[in-house]
Each structure stands twice: as C-alpha cells, then as structure tokens.
Amino acid sequence: MGIKKLSFSLILTLLLCLPLLAQEEEPVRYYQLEPLDDSLFIQIQEQLFIDPPDPKAEIIADLRDLNNQTISVKGVLYPFLALKEETRARVITYPFKINLEESVTFTSVFTKVLNKLRFDKIVNTPSVFQISPTLGYINPFLQFMGGERFGFALKNDVGFSFGIGTPYSGVLETNFYELNFHILGLRAGLFSNDDTFIEHKFDNNHNNIYFKLGYQINYVVPFGNFFEFGYMSTTEEFGRTKIEKYRPESSIVYSRDSSKIYDPYLVDGKFFNWEFRYPVRILEATRAKFYVAKYVNEYHIGFTGREMSLAGSVFDFRFDAMVSSKEREPQYIIEALIQKIFGNWAFSAVAIGPSVILTRTNEDKFGITSIFVNARLKAGTSF
C-alpha cells in the first residue's frame, strides 16, 4: 500500500511539473547587440545607408511593439522594417544580447557581468589584412603617443604610415615621430623629433628616450605578417644645446649608494631592429597582436589590441615590457583606451584613457614615473 501511495505521489508531482518544464523562455524583445559579429553590424548599417559603417557601433533593437519596431544605431532610430528580411531574422536570432528589460537586483549586478563574458569569443582567427605581409601596415588608428603606426594605402600594397612616439614608447617618454613609405612589404622612411609631449614634464625624466633626425629601412618577410627586420641610422648628432635640454642635471638620478647613474637615453648611431609578432583576434578585436622585438638595442615583449569587446564595452589595451637595455632601466607600460565616451561622430572614432609607465623612480624605488591621458582617433573603417 505504501508503495502505491509513493508511486501515485511521484506521478502527481510529475504531472504538476510538466507545465513548468514545457514553458519556453520568454523571448528578449528589447536588447543591445554585443559587437561580436562585424559582418552583421556592417550589413545593418549599409542597409540603413550609414557611411562609413562602424563594426563596433552601439546597436539596440526594440521589438516590443509589433506596430512600431525600431532599431537604433549610435542613438539614431530607424524602422526595423528598413532592414532586409534576412537581416531582420539575424537580428532577432542574434545569440549575444544584452537584455535591457532585466530588473536589477543585488545579485544581478554580479551575475550579469559573468553572463556577458563570452568565453567562446576570447580567441579567434585574425583577418586577412592582419596576416598580409604587404597590407598589414594599413591601420585606421592614429594614437597620440606610442603604439602601432597609422597607415593608409594609395593603392593596395603602396602607401604611407605615420607614428608619434616609438611603437614601444609610453606617454611623455619620447620626442620621436616618423613618416614611412610602403611598397610590397618594404618600409622606408625618416624619423625626427618634436618636443610637444615632453617639454612640460619636469620630474622622473631619467628613463626617457630622445631622438634626432635619421632614416630607416625595414622589410616584412613574405610568409604572413609575422617577422619584420630593418636598419636604422641617425644622421644628426646631439649638440650642446640639445644635450643640456634633454639631459639636464635635474634629470640625472643616482642610486642610493651612488653606484649607479640613471639618465635619459640620447639615441645616436646605427641599429639593427626586428620584431616577431603573432596577429590574433582576442575578444573580437579588429586589430591585435603579441610581439617580441629589438629596437635601438632594447628588447620588448608585449601585446596590443584595438576595439576589443567585453561585456558590452569596447576598448583598446596595450602592454609593453622593455625587459633589457644597456642605456635604461627596464620599464612596463600599461594602457587602456575606452571607446563610446563621446557623442555623434566621435562615439566610435575616439577612444581615451589612462596610460602608465612603471620603472625605477628618482627615489631609486620601483613605481610610476609617468601617468597621463592617451587617446587615439579612428580615421576609417576596420578590416
């Protein structure tokens, strides 16, 4: 009798739970599309006649009112029916949605962040342009201090690049800038100096690096955009006036026991430079790479990424470790530039954020020697 009662109770419980099991999850009808599918984002904007399209634009779909469904791109509303049927279907079934109707609780503040971390999108294959030995220089991002060079093509593999600061320098660290001509993987150009970003920094300049006029020739080995080597030479010497300006007594630091002197590096001579890099697509970045490099007899290890997406945010990140140098102390650069801060055209075109240099300070301790705001502009669409 007891077994029959137990069986009856189990069957009754199962019948009561069936409606709950059969319930489908409520569809999300008001949501932001996470910028993890560049092709869809570009397709949406092309159909809405937005030129140029931004693969990391903020796009919000509001499908709650069947008679007035809209899609918003960078804050501008468009009718959902303006999109083609196939595109509308992709928007509706898009798997990476940030639900804008969810209520916020004490626990959801933490659980929502975990839900937004798309671990399956952490690493992906790079774009064709990233791994091209002749087109890899094409880069729509112009950074104010340090980082990758801004590059544009006249016709495919023929073009120019420009950079402020060395590819491995941080904020308020150097007076370097360069202009290069590119053709078939060959890069030839001039470098010179401009003191705009250094002349108003009066403290902890002992680990800075300064340049005069010179030229450089580099070549990307034609087996992917993985290895570049080149020759660099200065053509001007530092005169007495420049030495007094770049290496004044105030910029020279002595260790506590006076056994070591720290002073700025005045680059002079001929150098053989190289960089081994591995282009990647981390967090759906439009441009990213890991690298190991030798530059003016200094060795660097680092990572740089553009327009990475995480939990609905878009940002650039750069880390550079200068691990060995005969002229300077090892130093570490950490930089994060946040997009979507400004309005209108600057919403996706400008990223701004803090940049820090960590090394031995003028008190002979490890700490911050330079901290400032860095920024970058995006002059065109990403590849």
Side-chain angles (χ1 to χ4, degrees), residues 31-74:
Y31 53 90
Q32 179 181 338
L33 284 70
E34 291 196 57
L36 300 177
D37 188 340
D38 293 356
S39 63
L40 175 60
F41 276 49
I42 291 174
Q43 190 177 83
I44 289 172
Q45 293 171 77
E46 286 178 343
Q47 293 177 18
L48 297 176
F49 302 101
I50 298 174
D51 186 35
D54 177 12
K56 298 295 179 181
E58 182 182 78
I59 297 180
I60 297 174
D62 187 352
L63 312 179
R64 292 172 294 182
D65 185 355
L66 294 177
N67 297 318
N68 187 29
Q69 294 181 331
T70 61
I71 188 163
S72 167
V73 180
K74 298 182 184 180

Side-chain angles (χ1 to χ4, degrees), residues 19-35:
L20 297 176
L21 295 173
Q23 280 184 354
E24 295 183 359
E25 186 178 348
E26 186 71 21
V28 180
R29 298 191 177 280
Y30 181 44
Y31 53 90
Q32 179 181 338
L33 284 70
E34 291 196 57

Side-chain angles (χ1 to χ4, degrees), residues 67-303:
N67 297 318
N68 187 29
Q69 294 181 331
T70 61
I71 188 163
S72 167
V73 180
K74 298 182 184 180
V76 180
L77 281 178
Y78 300 89
F80 191 55
L81 290 176
L83 300 176
K84 295 180 180 179
E85 184 177 355
E86 180 183 351
T87 306
R88 296 202 303 270
R90 289 185 63 186
V91 171
I92 294 171
T93 59
Y94 191 70
F96 308 116
K97 301 175 182 177
I98 301 175
N99 191 350
L100 300 180
E101 291 185 287
E102 285 183 341
S103 58
V104 179
T105 64
F106 289 109
T107 57
S108 68
V109 173
F110 305 99
T111 57
K112 282 177 67 177
V113 173
L114 293 176
N115 291 333
K116 291 177 184 178
L117 300 180
R118 306 298 185 185
F119 292 104
D120 58 331
K121 290 287 184 178
I122 288 181
V123 180
N124 214 328
T125 54
S127 68
V128 174
F129 284 88
Q130 279 183 271
I131 60 175
S132 169
T134 59
L135 302 178
Y137 76 93
I138 301 175
N139 176 23
F141 301 100
L142 172 61
Q143 186 159 306
F144 286 2
M145 288 175 275
E148 286 191 293
R149 314 292 83 177
F150 167 69
F152 59 94
L154 296 177
K155 186 176 182 182
N156 295 329
D157 48 18
V158 179
F160 292 91
S161 67
F162 173 75
I164 306 172
T166 77
Y168 315 103
S169 63
V171 291
L172 310 180
E173 180 190 353
T174 185
N175 62 348
F176 178 93
Y177 73 87
E178 63 177 317
L179 177 65
N180 301 292
F181 173 74
H182 295 255
I183 180 170
L184 296 174
L186 181 70
R187 171 166 64 95
L190 299 174
F191 61 86
S192 188
N193 58 86
D194 182 88
D195 298 339
T196 302
F197 289 115
I198 61 169
E199 60 185 4
H200 299 299
K201 183 172 180 280
F202 306 106
D203 195 24
N204 277 310
N205 289 324
H206 55 280
N207 218 48
N208 284 4
I209 179 171
Y210 301 119
F211 292 80
K212 288 284 284 180
L213 183 66
Y215 67 91
Q216 57 189 356
I217 301 174
N218 293 266
Y219 183 67
V220 181
V221 176
F223 295 100
N225 186 20
F226 300 112
F227 185 71
E228 180 178 0
F229 65 92
Y231 175 79
M232 181 179 190
S233 177
T234 58
T235 57
E236 278 187 351
E237 295 182 353
F238 288 89
R240 181 178 177 181
T241 303
K242 289 295 184 181
I243 293 176
E244 290 177 352
K245 178 177 182 179
Y246 296 144
R247 194 183 280 167
E249 185 65 30
S250 60
S251 70
I252 300 175
V253 175
Y254 298 88
S255 61
R256 293 182 178 181
D257 57 2
S258 298
S259 62
K260 201 168 184 180
I261 299 175
Y262 311 124
D263 57 358
Y265 181 13
L266 306 187
V267 179
D268 184 27
K270 300 174 175 59
F271 306 93
F272 177 75
N273 302 326
W274 54 262
E275 179 182 281
F276 174 79
R277 54 202 176 226
Y278 193 82
V280 291
R281 191 175 176 88
I282 291 184
L283 296 177
E284 289 300 294
T286 51
R287 188 179 180 91
K289 68 176 181 179
F290 290 97
Y291 63 84
V292 178
K294 180 185 178 184
Y295 189 77
V296 294
N297 290 337
E298 297 181 336
Y299 291 89
H300 296 261
I301 300 173
F303 167 80

Side-chain angles (χ1 to χ4, degrees), residues 313-372:
S313 299
V314 179
F315 62 97
D316 300 355
F317 179 77
R318 179 165 69 110
F319 171 78
D320 180 89
M322 191 267 284
V323 295
S324 176
S325 172
K326 294 182 179 179
E327 303 290 339
R328 300 194 292 164
E329 288 295 294
Q331 70 173 25
Y332 308 90
I333 298 170
I334 302 174
E335 185 174 87
L337 308 180
I338 313 302
Q339 201 169 285
K340 298 183 177 181
I341 292 178
F342 303 99
N344 298 323
W345 65 269
F347 183 82
S348 61
V350 180
I352 190 170
S355 184
V356 178
I357 299 179
L358 300 168
T359 185
R360 190 166 295 277
T361 67
N362 55 11
E363 297 179 352
D364 199 23
K365 299 178 180 178
F366 182 79
I368 296 175
T369 57
S370 188
I371 180 170
F372 200 68

